[in-house]
Every structure is written in structure tokens, then in C-alpha cells.
Amino acid sequence: MASHHHSFRAAAVQAAPVFLNLEVSIDKAIALIEEAANAGAELIAFPETFLPGYPWHIWLDSPAWAFQFTAEYFDNSLEYGSVEADRLAAAARDNHIMVVMGLSERFQSSLYIAQWIIGADGRTIATRRKLKPTHVERTVYGEGDGTDLSVYDTDLGRLGALCCWEHLQPLSKYAMYAQNEQIHVGAWPSFSLYPGAAYALGPEVNTAASRVYAVEGGSFVIAPCATVSADMVEMLCTDDAKRAMLSEGGGYARIFGPDGQLLHEPLDPSTEGLVYADIDTSAIAVAKSAADPAGHYARPDVTRLWLNKSPGDRIISGTPAEAGATRIIEGDDTISAAVNSLPEELALDGTLTRQHV
């Protein structure tokens, strides 16, 4: 039987939200969704925490100074099942386009860096959280769990997503590659923080991370990237020192093929808009014929990854023995076992040892 390939047009957003204004930022997001659909795109991807904007204030001064934005940021973060979320789902359905939205997710009294994958029918394909917030992001956001390293079957192919410096986590990347990811959404904020002072935060390193992900994983990488607006600078940069730390612009939206090739002309870093590329997943087999790190190019007898996809539930119902049960994912197999029969540690030589049971 011939393999089933997917051909479609994808769009990556390069734009700023209306910072700390969820309602108006959703208006802007819906306008971009409509623009992409009218241009023939079947998928549109948004930057990291596009709703209600990336919290640049945590990088600009002390925690005490940044605290002035905490309540407003929380109130304008998106809650699934809300009227605001329903508007986005309706926009995906009405325009018949898959949407991968970057958001600050509000759940109860906590926030999470999240990505929401909405199908072209408006139904949720998946919600995920950034596994580990980066540096000072940990003062704002909680962590995800093993379920957030997942790849999903969609009408456009096998799709997964990560945020920002998750693309610098080798084991997290490999977990995605090993699940036969074909289309990857790598969401980024603007690359305009600490210009001239922190090279690792700049566009050269981070666009390279997206390109390397494409080559390593043999997947198409759709990498939306936000910009910083003049209004954001005016709101957040209250003195010369802060203005030196955060610049306008910084947009570097990119779409790479599985061979690492850039598939479009980039926008100027200060320009808002969409970049488009035509995707044909049949190109993946050609790219992986040379190197498939989770397939024929792997040496599982030497190195293997252990991926624990147990959800990080705070409350588990059942007896203590049932509550202690966990799941180990190896390939496509799920093995359930009580905690007293599980290995506690994975030794460096690949052998399993039980300790501290």
C-alpha cells in the first residue's frame, strides 16, 4: 500500500499582541486567522504566549517592580472553556483552518506557557504546556508533564509543538522525533531582549535552533515569532536602562523544510505579517534516507531515551496501591505496574536498579 502524504499551505505569524488585553488580542488573532485562510493556508501557528503577550517585565527589573503587572497579566490570560476561547475555536471552524495558538493558560490560580492545537472543525486536538519554564519565567508559570511531549495524528499529518528553549533540550527533542513527527510548530517570543549583551537570546542562535530541529527530526518546522510593539516598549521601559534591554521589533518567523532549507522570503524583523510555505510531507522520506535519528541512524544498543508520560495530576483517586501506579512508555507500548515493582533509577550503563522503594 502506498504511503499517504499530505500537501498543504502553512502560515507562521510574525506580529505583536495588544499587550495585556486579551479581548483585543483575540480580535487581532482572528484577523490573522482570516487572512491566512483567505491566502489558502490550512494551518496557522502563533508565537509563544501570543495571548496576552510575553511577560517581558520579568526580565527588566526586580521581582518587586514586575509585581505591578501580575494581577493584570493573570486576568488577561486565557482559560479554556471560556467565552474568549470559544471565539478562537469558532474562528478556526468558520475559516476551516487548523490553529496552533500560543497562550498564557490560566488554570485555577496558576499560569502555564501553553499551546492549543485546534482542528479545522473548531475542536480541540490537544492542549500542552511548556515542560520547564526558562529562567525567570519560573516566577510566573508552572510546569508541564510527560503528556506534553506528544505528537498527534491530524488531517495534515503527525503534528507536535514545543515552545522557545524547549528546542535546546536534547532529550525533549528526541522524544518528539521518536514519535514520527512530520510537522512541528516551534513557537518563539521576540528576539529583541538584551541586544548586544546576550547572544544566546538573539536571532542567530534561536533561528538556528529551529533549523537544526528540522534537520535532526526530518520534519517541517513552522516557527512563528512575535514582535515587540512601540506600545509595549512605552508601557514596560520606564527608564533608559530598560529601553536598552528591550527593543522594538525582533520578529524572525521562519518555516524550514526537513532538509533545513528556508521555504520563504523572511519579513523584516520590525514588520508584522504572515510568512507562508507549501508543505509536502513526501519530502520527509528523502530527508530521512540519509539520517533518521530515531530510526535507521539510531544505536539503541548504546543509547536510548526513557519517556515517562504519566500525567502530573495533583489529586489521584483510588486506593494507595492504585494511586502509586504509573505508566512507562517505550515505543508504542504502555506498561502499567504498581510502584513497588518499578525501577527507581536508570543507571548510566542502561541497566535498571531499584532503590529507595
Side-chain angles (χ1 to χ4, degrees), residues 149-153 158 175-181 294 305 307 309 327-336:
L149 294 180
S150 296
V151 176
Y152 304 92
D153 282 316
R158 288 188 57 78
M176 303 295 283
Y177 302 160
Q179 295 174 74
N180 191 31
E181 187 181 34
L305 174 66
L307 174 58
K309 279 201 173 184
R327 292 176 294 163
I328 293 182
I329 308 298
E330 185 174 352
D332 293 328
D333 298 326
T334 302
I335 304 170
S336 296

Side-chain angles (χ1 to χ4, degrees), residues 10 16-18 25 134 150 155 161 191 217 219 235 240 243 302 318 354:
V18 181
S25 291
T134 304
S150 296
D155 291 339
F191 302 142
S219 63
M235 179 188 299
D240 289 341
R243 282 186 285 272
V302 179
R354 291 181 62 231

Side-chain angles (χ1 to χ4, degrees), residues 15-92:
V18 181
F19 190 59
L20 296 183
N21 191 323
L22 178 61
E23 190 71 27
V24 181
S25 291
I26 288 176
D27 290 341
K28 187 169 185 175
I30 291 173
L32 289 165
I33 290 168
E34 293 171 348
E35 179 181 342
N38 289 335
E42 294 181 62
L43 184 154
I44 181 173
F46 283 81
E48 182 180 48
T49 60
F50 186 79
L51 303 174
Y54 185 82
W56 296 109
H57 46 276
I58 61 179
W59 295 89
L60 299 178
D61 210 312
S62 67
W65 179 85
F67 192 71
Q68 65 185 294
F69 301 100
T70 297
E72 191 172 5
Y73 194 84
F74 181 88
D75 289 343
N76 281 275
S77 294
L78 183 69
E79 182 176 355
Y80 294 128
S82 63
V83 172
E84 294 82 5
D86 289 346
R87 291 182 63 207
L88 285 173

Side-chain angles (χ1 to χ4, degrees), residues 80 98-103 105 114-119 121-129 147-154 159-161 176:
Y80 294 128
M98 185 182 297
V99 176
V100 184
M101 176 57 67
L103 63 138
E105 176 199 347
Q115 289 166 289
W116 182 17
I117 305 172
I118 311 170
D121 58 1
R123 297 182 180 180
T124 295
I125 295 173
T127 59
R128 73 168 303 269
R129 294 168 176 171
T147 63
D148 297 309
L149 294 180
S150 296
V151 176
Y152 304 92
D153 282 316
T154 76
L159 185 144
M176 303 295 283

Side-chain angles (χ1 to χ4, degrees), residues 12 47 67 74 77 86 112 130 206 236 254 258 312:
F67 192 71
F74 181 88
S77 294
D86 289 346
Y112 301 88
K130 191 173 185 178
N206 294 297
L236 297 172
R254 298 288 187 268

Side-chain angles (χ1 to χ4, degrees), residues 2-355:
S3 297
H4 183 59
H5 300 301
H6 303 269
S7 298
F8 63 95
R9 181 170 242 204
V13 172
Q14 178 173 303
V18 181
F19 190 59
L20 296 183
N21 191 323
L22 178 61
E23 190 71 27
V24 181
S25 291
I26 288 176
D27 290 341
K28 187 169 185 175
I30 291 173
L32 289 165
I33 290 168
E34 293 171 348
E35 179 181 342
N38 289 335
E42 294 181 62
L43 184 154
I44 181 173
F46 283 81
E48 182 180 48
T49 60
F50 186 79
L51 303 174
Y54 185 82
W56 296 109
H57 46 276
I58 61 179
W59 295 89
L60 299 178
D61 210 312
S62 67
W65 179 85
F67 192 71
Q68 65 185 294
F69 301 100
T70 297
E72 191 172 5
Y73 194 84
F74 181 88
D75 289 343
N76 281 275
S77 294
L78 183 69
E79 182 176 355
Y80 294 128
S82 63
V83 172
E84 294 82 5
D86 289 346
R87 291 182 63 207
L88 285 173
R93 182 194 65 232
D94 294 345
N95 291 280
H96 199 67
I97 185 171
M98 185 182 297
V99 176
V100 184
M101 176 57 67
L103 63 138
S104 170
E105 176 199 347
R106 187 176 75 231
F107 179 72
Q108 296 179 352
S109 296
S110 292
L111 300 180
Y112 301 88
I113 296 174
Q115 289 166 289
W116 182 17
I117 305 172
I118 311 170
D121 58 1
R123 297 182 180 180
T124 295
I125 295 173
T127 59
R128 73 168 303 269
R129 294 168 176 171
K130 191 173 185 178
L131 197 62
K132 184 78 172 182
T134 304
H135 198 43
V136 292
E137 290 175 358
R138 296 169 205 162
T139 65
V140 178
Y141 303 108
E143 300 179 345
D145 59 40
T147 63
D148 297 309
L149 294 180
S150 296
V151 176
Y152 304 92
D153 282 316
T154 76
D155 291 339
L156 302 180
R158 288 188 57 78
L159 185 144
L162 295 174
C163 281
C164 198
W165 268 19
E166 289 188 300
H167 297 89
L168 271 63
Q169 286 280 15
L171 299 183
S172 296
K173 292 193 297 178
Y174 193 83
M176 303 295 283
Y177 302 160
Q179 295 174 74
N180 191 31
E181 187 181 34
Q182 296 175 304
I183 306 146
H184 177 75
V185 174
W188 299 88
S190 168
F191 302 142
S192 57
L193 183 69
Y194 302 166
Y199 188 80
L201 301 180
E204 293 86 359
V205 168
N206 294 297
T207 55
S210 293
R211 189 191 295 265
V212 168
Y213 191 102
V215 176
E216 282 186 345
S219 63
F220 288 90
V221 171
I222 303 161
C225 182
T227 61
V228 172
S229 67
D231 289 342
M232 293 167 69
V233 170
E234 182 178 356
M235 179 188 299
L236 297 172
C237 299
T238 54
D239 54 49
D240 289 341
K242 293 181 180 63
R243 282 186 285 272
M245 287 189 277
L246 184 66
S247 303
E248 290 183 42
Y252 288 83
R254 298 288 187 268
I255 303 176
F256 294 105
D259 60 355
Q261 182 178 180
L262 182 65
L263 300 180
H264 59 89
E265 287 296 323
L267 298 172
D268 182 87
S270 62
T271 299
E272 291 195 339
L274 298 169
V275 296
Y276 297 94
D278 294 319
I279 306 296
D280 182 350
T281 59
S282 66
I284 292 173
V286 177
K288 285 190 173 183
S289 66
D292 181 358
H296 65 80
Y297 203 48
R299 282 292 304 275
D301 57 318
V302 179
T303 56
R304 286 188 290 177
L305 174 66
W306 179 53
L307 174 58
N308 178 7
K309 279 201 173 184
S310 299
D313 298 332
R314 273 60 174 179
I315 299 177
I316 302 175
S317 300
T319 67
E322 292 170 338
T326 188
R327 292 176 294 163
I328 293 182
I329 308 298
E330 185 174 352
D332 293 328
D333 298 326
T334 302
I335 304 170
S336 296
V339 68
N340 61 3
S341 66
L342 286 175
E344 279 290 312
E345 296 180 355
L346 182 64
L348 293 178
D349 64 359
T351 61
L352 294 170
T353 60
R354 291 181 62 231
Q355 298 181 19

